Amino acid sequence: MGMKDKVSDATVAHLKRLAMTLPFLLPQPAPTLCPSQGPPTATGPLGTRKHSNIKWHSLSEGSSPLQLLVTSTRTVVAMMDSGSLADIDDEYEKLVIQLNPPRVTVDNTSSRKATLVQVASANRHGSLLDVVQVLTDLNLSISRAYISSDGEWFMDVFHVVDQCGNKIYDNEVIDRIQQSLSTRALSSRPLRRSVGIEASSEHTSIELIGRDRPGLLSEIFAVLVDLKCNVVAAEVWTHNSRMASVVYITDEVNGGPIDDSDRLAKVKRLLRYILKGDRDKSAKTATSMGVTHTQRRLHQMLYADRDYDKDDTDGEDAASDRSKPVVTVENCTEKGYSMVNLRCKDRPKLLFDTVCTLTDMQYVVFHATVIAEGPEAYQEYYIRHVDGSPISSEGERQRLILCLEAAIRRGNTEGVKLELCCEDRVGLLSDVTRIFRENGLSVSRAEVTTRGSQAVNVFYVTDSSGNPVCSQMIEAVRNEIGQTILQVKDEANPNSSTENTGKFSFGSLFRSRSEKILHNLGMGSCPVVEVDDDEYAKLIRRMNPPRVVIDNDACDNATVIRVDSIKKHGILLEVIQVLTDLNLIITKAYISSDGSWFMDVFNVTDRNGNKVRDKEIICCIQNSLGSDACSFPGIGNSVGIVPSKEHTFIEMTGTDRPGLLSEICAVLANRNCSVAKAELWTHNTRVAAVVHVTEESTGGAVEDPERLSAIKELLCNVLRGDNDSRMGRMTVSKDRTHTERRLHQMMFGDRDYESTVVGAGDDKPRPQVAVMDCAEKDYSVVILRSRDRPKLLFDTVCTLTDMQYVVFHGTVDTRDDEAYQEYFIRHVDGYPINSEAERQRVIKCLEAAIERRTTEGLEMVLRTEDRHGLLSDVTRVFRENGLTIRRAEISTQEGKASDTFYLSEMSGKPVEAKTIDSICRQLGEMVVRVKQSPLLAPKPPEVAGATSFLFGNLLKASLQSFRSVRSYS
């Protein structure tokens, strides 16, 4: 496209007419361009020709409008001749403004109820918005407006009142209206570039756009504090699960703007990580030291982010439908206009929001009527596109309706209005929003300002599902922040019943968090993606240390442990691993995650069913999970295992057979290795074992590589047996590992979940596992019923984690020896289970995880003085009596051996009494306990009507035992 094509047709037409008549208008030649150094240069790229050589002759004080017209027109013509056409529209606009200066009249006599502001000016795209913007930035309410334009000229009348509904008598406000809309203001620069904002080099502005989620604002402010940035002003809007904000920051050290490009790049990178959450590809950040009109920019950002697109997760009810704005768009064919009608609840700045949207969508308002003198507002516009055509398609009409509805809703204030007034300090916003997040509050809108040394901040908060907040929760937040500095100004829903805002419980808090995520699926929520940027990971841990609350008063029969932490893949397993390694029984659990943050509650008891009151155990939980730990150790780093160089770890998998453990122990004894600790599992004809061995002579780890190689070769031969179709495997390591986690991984890697014996164990009770899709929420739902036992929750979560699934919500309940578990999961890539084969694999793997640790048959506990070859002798006795070992737990402490074996006949039947007597005679006093467990337990009820469990259990009021509000710091 050539440069002349860039000039509007209207401008060119006017210039041509004026240029043709100029020679006849004046007897004297009018001043023309005076090139100081010859013809203008054209060294810039196409469309940006330089014309720095062109100078303008100024007119004298008494220049007539005609002389002004001639001079300005010949200037523009000269620019056309010189090729400098990029600025012709701007110069023509200046010419029109100079010839037709705006006329502003402020009238307090014509109306009894309002002050009339009449503005007449040359029309240009955006003029109406500029005027409305000036009035709303002065906190004036527009009760009526009449807008009329013939295309070249517009004359608008606005009925305005102050915030109290009174006329405008303040001379300062009247002067500001006159100055902002007068000739001087309009001739200096377009209003759209700076209305309501003072140009300043003191701040750096940051624009953020991304998917909204609970706690997002807290994370943003925490990042800025960590990077030594002070927030002096900010505005945050949320709509339709999207968030947009403009934040003004200064350098914490010098109080000025941040102009270091490397530092700005780091700020931008870290904030983008926060905004992206887990899979939000549309998250954006931008930094600038220029001026901007904040609310105008927020509209533009959300419009560009397509927040007007319908979100199926909004879940609007009938009440919200009644409050929904009514927008209609029709064509007025005979006049060549499109007619837009709006009806909605009135509120401040409503007119600004709608006119801003029409302007940003490139529509021109020719005529309009606005009436807002009661609780309802009515607006009617006659519009055309800037190219002069009305709306021409159904798609465009629907898009305009959606955009106007979104514009109106963006400005709606939802929730309780909290006003924070106190001395400003670095990190204030980070601390306040963190307390909001920890108490289950979600910020729907925020306005942050600094006046001198005082911070004046306004937050609109709801619960995490967008519902009104109960008064107890607000009081808990005020107690933590400060009753005097945080005030409740008003509520969006003052008529809400006490049923909705009455008694608080952590149960309702968890249900609201779960509902929020069910509403926001896909939210920046969703699957957690490990961030490779180590700097970012450290930052996140630093600004969000885990928070642990241990409460013995909230529940009658259990200790309640609440854990809040930054979300990462495997974090749930690590928490459960800590609790089970301390031999605690988890009777109930409520799991909730918003993708970047998780808050889980566990009801736990000791092995005797009592509350946990041992201070040493409580301190261990706090140290393992709390702020002092700062971050959980990685899964491979063995939670609950002390690093040691005293043992060599041997891992073995192979086909199970009677006497296998006896042969393994005999080989180790023959090679002068002592077994210090071991655990062995069998399932589905497969065996897995982790054995900790030491050198018999030195008591330390076996380090000789040749000796280790010989041990490995001999054990592989033992594992291989005669017909192991799947080769036995063995590895040797001196690295630490979590034994039970490793056994699950080994059995899973050995595919023990695949059935290898046809028809075997058909009558054996199996855990009931169902997996189905929750299509509308984009989850897969896993439901498990089985006989309860210790560490059952650990086994199922371990398997889901190893299979690369992320648990977003979960409910665990154990009653009367039966356990019920329900999980809402996705794969780490963000997708639910999408094939029948994958679904069947998950079912089989979870069944196997539950069955691996099942304690069946004869339980025999041995305690005696440890000696070399003891384990080999004991297992030989079992083998000689025709018994097979189903599970074994072997440990040595301070020279004492403490071993537990689960035994059955080789046929799988219970051990007969005479066999038990024979073993006890042979082993003597070392046998301290013998317990016969049934091999067949009552079959649990089928998982029927699975959909009845989907939301009933996740959202059921099981947490009503949490009787009071508790604010923890």
Side-chain angles (χ1 to χ4, degrees):
M1 179 183 289
M3 292 180 62
K4 290 186 179 181
D5 295 330
K6 296 183 179 180
V7 184
S8 68
D9 295 339
T11 301
V12 173
H14 280 297
L15 290 173
K16 286 181 178 179
R17 287 197 298 272
L18 289 170
M20 291 176 63
T21 58
L22 279 178
F24 308 101
L25 290 174
L26 290 176
Q28 300 292 331
T32 58
L33 282 178
C34 213
S36 59
Q37 299 178 6
T41 59
T43 57
L46 184 63
T48 58
R49 288 180 178 269
K50 298 181 179 179
H51 48 86
S52 56
N53 296 337
I54 299 177
K55 296 182 179 179
W56 304 87
H57 286 294
S58 61
L59 293 173
S60 63
E61 288 277 330
S63 299
S64 67
L66 187 56
Q67 288 176 307
L68 174 62
L69 172 63
V70 173
T71 302
S72 299
T73 305
R74 286 192 170 177
T75 297
V76 175
V77 173
M79 291 176 65
M80 293 178 66
D81 293 338
S82 67
S84 304
L85 296 181
D87 294 330
I88 288 180
D89 278 330
D90 284 342
E91 293 303 323
Y92 176 68
E93 185 175 291
K94 291 179 182 177
L95 168 63
V96 172
I97 291 173
Q98 285 176 311
L99 291 172
N100 300 287
R103 292 190 293 276
V104 181
T105 304
V106 180
D107 181 1
N108 267 313
T109 59
S110 298
S111 172
R112 290 184 297 105
K113 298 180 180 179
T115 298
L116 269 62
V117 178
Q118 181 176 322
V119 183
S121 174
N123 196 13
R124 60 181 175 81
H125 184 54
S127 296
L128 174 61
L129 175 59
D130 292 340
V131 175
V132 174
Q133 192 168 292
V134 167
L135 298 176
T136 54
D137 283 345
L138 292 170
N139 289 322
L140 303 180
S141 296
I142 301 172
S143 59
R144 281 178 179 265
Y146 303 96
I147 297 155
S148 181
S149 166
D150 61 4
E152 301 295 330
W153 189 261
F154 84 96
M155 187 173 71
D156 302 343
V157 176
F158 301 90
H159 292 221
V160 300
V161 294
D162 62 18
Q163 294 290 295
C164 300
N166 302 319
K167 289 185 178 183
I168 314 301
Y169 289 110
D170 188 323
N171 288 331
E172 185 179 348
V173 174
I174 293 173
D175 287 343
R176 289 188 64 183
I177 295 173
Q178 293 279 5
Q179 291 170 7
S180 298
L181 301 177
S182 66
T183 306
R184 181 175 56 189
L186 285 178
S187 61
S188 60
R189 58 191 174 192
L191 275 171
R192 61 180 175 273
R193 295 177 188 170
S194 62
V195 171
I197 299 292
E198 294 182 9
S200 171
S201 58
E202 297 177 359
H203 307 146
T204 299
S205 65
I206 301 176
E207 297 177 355
L208 308 169
I209 187 81
R211 185 177 292 275
D212 184 34
R213 65 176 186 272
L216 176 60
L217 197 57
S218 169
E219 296 176 31
I220 290 171
F221 289 145
V223 165
L224 294 174
V225 169
D226 192 79
L227 296 174
K228 309 296 182 187
C229 301
N230 187 37
V231 178
V232 294
E235 189 152 355
V236 180
W237 288 3
T238 63
H239 175 250
N240 209 6
S241 80
R242 305 301 297 175
M243 184 282 304
S245 66
V246 177
V247 184
Y248 299 88
I249 62 171
T250 59
D251 191 311
E252 180 184 328
V253 179
N254 58 34
I258 300 172
D259 47 18
D260 182 351
S261 58
D262 291 337
R263 187 176 174 192
L264 287 174
K266 182 178 180 181
V267 171
K268 189 174 181 179
R269 183 176 72 253
L270 292 177
L271 287 175
R272 189 180 293 117
Y273 278 130
I274 293 291
L275 289 171
K276 280 183 178 177
D278 308 310
R279 66 176 188 183
D280 186 3
K281 302 295 189 277
S282 60
K284 301 187 219 28
T285 63
T287 57
S288 169
M289 284 183 288
V291 293
T292 182
H293 186 275
T294 306
Q295 294 171 348
R296 173 76 192 277
R297 188 68 191 118
L298 287 168
H299 272 300
Q300 292 172 333
M301 292 162 64
L302 284 168
Y303 170 68
D305 197 46
R306 302 179 65 88
D307 73 319
Y308 53 85
D309 282 343
K310 286 291 184 183
D311 191 335
D312 293 335
T313 61
D314 276 349
E316 296 173 345
D317 55 18
S320 63
D321 285 339
R322 287 193 295 270
S323 63
K324 179 180 176 181
V326 177
V327 183
T328 61
V329 178
E330 301 172 359
N331 274 344
C332 183
T333 7
E334 66 278 7
K335 300 293 184 182
Y337 289 123
S338 291
M339 184 171 63
V340 179
N341 281 282
L342 300 93
R343 262 184 204 280
C344 65
K345 184 179 179 181
D346 190 30
R347 60 166 174 78
K349 302 190 178 183
L350 177 64
L351 180 60
F352 170 79
D353 295 336
T354 53
V355 173
C356 183
T357 299
L358 290 171
T359 305
D360 288 339
M361 294 184 74
Q362 299 297 298
Y363 291 108
V364 179
V365 176
F366 286 87
H367 307 282
T369 302
V370 175
I371 301 174
E373 293 180 338
E376 191 175 59
Y378 172 81
Q379 299 178 23
E380 182 181 69
Y381 300 98
Y382 290 81
I383 64 170
R384 292 193 191 115
H385 201 269
V386 288
D387 62 9
S389 59
I391 293 172
S392 57
S393 69
E394 178 61 20
E396 185 183 1
R397 190 181 75 85
Q398 290 297 330
R399 182 167 171 265
L400 177 58
I401 291 173
L402 291 176
C403 289
L404 287 171
E405 288 176 348
I408 295 169
R409 286 179 165 179
R410 286 173 201 146
N412 291 342
T413 52
E414 298 178 353
V416 178
K417 181 181 179 182
L418 300 178
E419 187 171 292
L420 177 76
C421 298
C422 64
E423 193 74 19
D424 191 30
R425 62 173 172 81
V426 176
L428 173 66
L429 283 170
S430 175
D431 293 342
V432 170
T433 51
R434 174 183 56 80
I435 292 171
F436 288 165
R437 180 194 69 197
E438 290 172 350
N439 284 274
L441 298 184
S442 181
V443 179
S444 62
R445 190 180 179 97
E447 299 167 8
V448 177
T449 56
T450 306
R451 299 170 187 170
S453 62
Q454 290 290 308
V456 181
N457 305 330
V458 176
F459 303 94
Y460 293 88
V461 298
T462 65
D463 70 8
S464 295
S465 60
N467 296 322
V469 184
C470 66
S471 57
Q472 292 94 332
M473 190 182 292
I474 292 295
E475 287 307 305
V477 171
R478 292 186 66 206
N479 288 334
E480 196 163 351
I481 295 175
Q483 291 275 355
T484 57
I485 64 175
L486 185 65
Q487 300 291 330
V488 179
K489 303 306 289 186
D490 58 30
E491 295 188 13
N493 274 325
N495 298 324
S496 58
S497 67
T498 56
E499 293 178 354
N500 294 331
T501 60
K503 182 177 178 181
F504 170 77
S505 70
F506 280 125
S508 62
L509 171 61
F510 263 85
R511 287 193 300 277
S512 68
R513 289 175 65 86
S514 298
E515 290 161 4
K516 173 69 175 180
I517 304 192
L518 292 177
H519 286 313
N520 280 345
L521 287 187
M523 73 193 181
S525 57
C526 317
V528 176
V529 177
E530 296 290 343
V531 178
D532 294 331
D533 195 322
D534 188 54
E535 176 189 20
Y536 172 70
K538 290 177 181 176
L539 169 65
I540 293 300
R541 287 196 298 267
R542 207 161 51 238
M543 73 185 197
N544 292 296
R547 186 164 169 266
V548 180
V549 176
I550 300 177
D551 189 348
N552 269 312
D553 299 324
C555 182
D556 293 333
N557 52 15
T559 297
V560 178
I561 300 176
R562 169 178 159 183
V563 184
D564 300 353
S565 176
I566 201 72
K567 178 79 172 177
K568 67 184 180 72
H569 182 52
I571 187 68
L572 174 63
L573 174 60
E574 292 170 2
V575 174
I576 295 171
Q577 194 166 292
V578 167
L579 299 177
T580 53
D581 283 346
L582 291 170
N583 290 319
L584 301 179
I585 305 296
I586 300 173
T587 59
K588 290 179 184 288
Y590 305 91
I591 300 156
S592 181
S593 165
D594 61 12
S596 64
W597 191 259
F598 88 101
M599 185 173 77
D600 301 343
V601 171
F602 302 90
N603 288 23
V604 301
T605 64
D606 61 19
R607 284 299 179 101
N608 298 319
N610 302 319
K611 290 186 179 183
V612 182
R613 300 190 187 275
D614 188 314
K615 292 183 178 179
E616 186 177 349
I617 293 178
I618 291 174
C619 185
C620 184
I621 295 171
Q622 291 280 10
N623 292 337
S624 299
L625 302 179
S627 302
D628 293 340
C630 195
S631 65
F632 297 112
I635 290 171
N637 292 340
S638 68
V639 174
I641 300 295
V642 179
S644 173
K645 295 184 178 179
E646 298 178 357
H647 304 149
T648 297
F649 301 93
I650 299 176
E651 298 177 354
M652 294 172 281
T653 55
T655 299
D656 186 31
R657 67 175 187 275
L660 177 61
L661 183 58
S662 172
E663 295 176 36
I664 291 172
C665 294
V667 167
L668 294 174
N670 184 264
R671 288 292 166 175
N672 297 319
C673 295
S674 296
V675 178
K677 185 177 181 181
E679 190 156 354
L680 175 142
W681 291 359
T682 65
H683 177 251
N684 208 9
T685 75
R686 305 302 296 173
V687 63
V690 176
V691 184
H692 302 209
V693 300
T694 59
E695 174 74 59
E696 181 186 344
S697 56
T698 64
V702 181
E703 296 181 345
D704 182 0
E706 292 184 2
R707 188 175 175 194
L708 288 173
S709 178
I711 292 172
K712 185 173 181 178
E713 183 179 356
L714 289 172
L715 288 176
C716 280
N717 288 334
V718 170
L719 289 169
R720 187 177 296 119
D722 301 323
N723 58 353
D724 189 0
S725 58
R726 288 188 280 181
M727 184 70 69
R729 290 189 291 274
M730 198 209 81
T731 59
V732 178
S733 170
K734 285 183 287 184
D735 294 333
R736 56 187 179 170
T737 182
H738 186 275
T739 303
E740 293 166 334
R741 174 75 196 277
R742 188 70 192 116
L743 285 166
H744 273 300
Q745 291 173 331
M746 291 161 63
M747 296 289 260
F748 175 70
D750 198 40
R751 303 173 70 88
D752 73 317
Y753 53 86
E754 292 181 347
S755 179
T756 56
V757 182
V758 180
D762 286 344
D763 296 330
K764 183 179 177 180
R766 303 292 302 274
Q768 303 297 307
V769 182
V771 178
M772 62 211 73
D773 281 338
C774 180
E776 66 277 11
K777 302 299 181 184
D778 207 21
Y779 283 128
S780 291
V781 185
V782 178
I783 299 174
L784 303 95
R785 280 186 184 270
S786 66
R787 185 180 178 186
D788 189 30
R789 61 168 174 77
K791 301 190 178 184
L792 177 64
L793 180 60
F794 170 82
D795 295 338
T796 53
V797 173
C798 181
T799 298
L800 289 171
T801 304
D802 288 340
M803 294 183 75
Q804 299 297 297
Y805 291 105
V806 179
V807 175
F808 286 89
H809 311 281
T811 301
V812 177
D813 195 3
T814 59
R815 295 179 185 176
D816 302 326
D817 293 330
E818 186 180 62
Y820 173 84
Q821 301 178 43
E822 180 180 75
Y823 302 102
F824 290 74
I825 67 170
R826 293 195 191 108
H827 199 267
V828 290
D829 62 8
Y831 295 99
I833 294 171
N834 56 18
S835 70
E836 178 61 21
E838 185 182 2
R839 191 180 74 85
Q840 290 297 330
R841 183 168 175 265
V842 171
I843 291 174
K844 290 180 179 179
C845 289
L846 287 171
E847 289 174 346
I850 295 171
E851 291 172 343
R852 286 172 197 149
R853 207 200 289 260
T854 302
T855 54
E856 298 175 346
L858 179 71
E859 178 186 358
M860 183 170 287
V861 180
L862 309 178
R863 286 195 180 92
T864 187
E865 201 73 30
D866 191 31
R867 61 175 173 81
H868 181 67
L870 172 66
L871 194 58
S872 174
D873 294 343
V874 170
T875 53
R876 177 178 51 78
V877 169
F878 293 156
R879 184 190 64 195
E880 290 172 352
N881 282 273
L883 300 185
T884 184
I885 299 172
R886 290 173 172 269
R887 274 185 61 213
E889 298 171 4
I890 297 159
S891 62
T892 306
Q893 292 180 346
E894 298 178 352
K896 296 286 186 180
S898 178
D899 305 335
T900 302
F901 300 93
Y902 296 91
L903 309 166
S904 70
E905 297 280 357
M906 292 184 183
S907 61
K909 295 180 179 179
V911 182
E912 295 180 356
K914 62 180 182 180
T915 305
I916 296 174
D917 292 339
S918 173
I919 293 173
C920 289
R921 284 195 304 271
Q922 289 178 270
L923 297 180
E925 295 181 354
M926 69 174 66
V927 179
V928 296
R929 188 175 71 181
V930 176
K931 179 182 178 183
Q932 182 77 55
S933 300
L935 283 173
L936 294 178
K939 191 170 183 178
E942 297 287 337
V943 181
T947 54
S948 65
F949 296 111
L950 295 186
F951 300 103
N953 286 278
L954 178 64
L955 304 178
K956 65 182 178 179
S958 299
L959 283 174
Q960 293 300 325
S961 55
F962 296 83
R963 291 186 296 266
S964 59
V965 176
R966 300 183 181 274
S967 178
Y968 303 99
S969 58

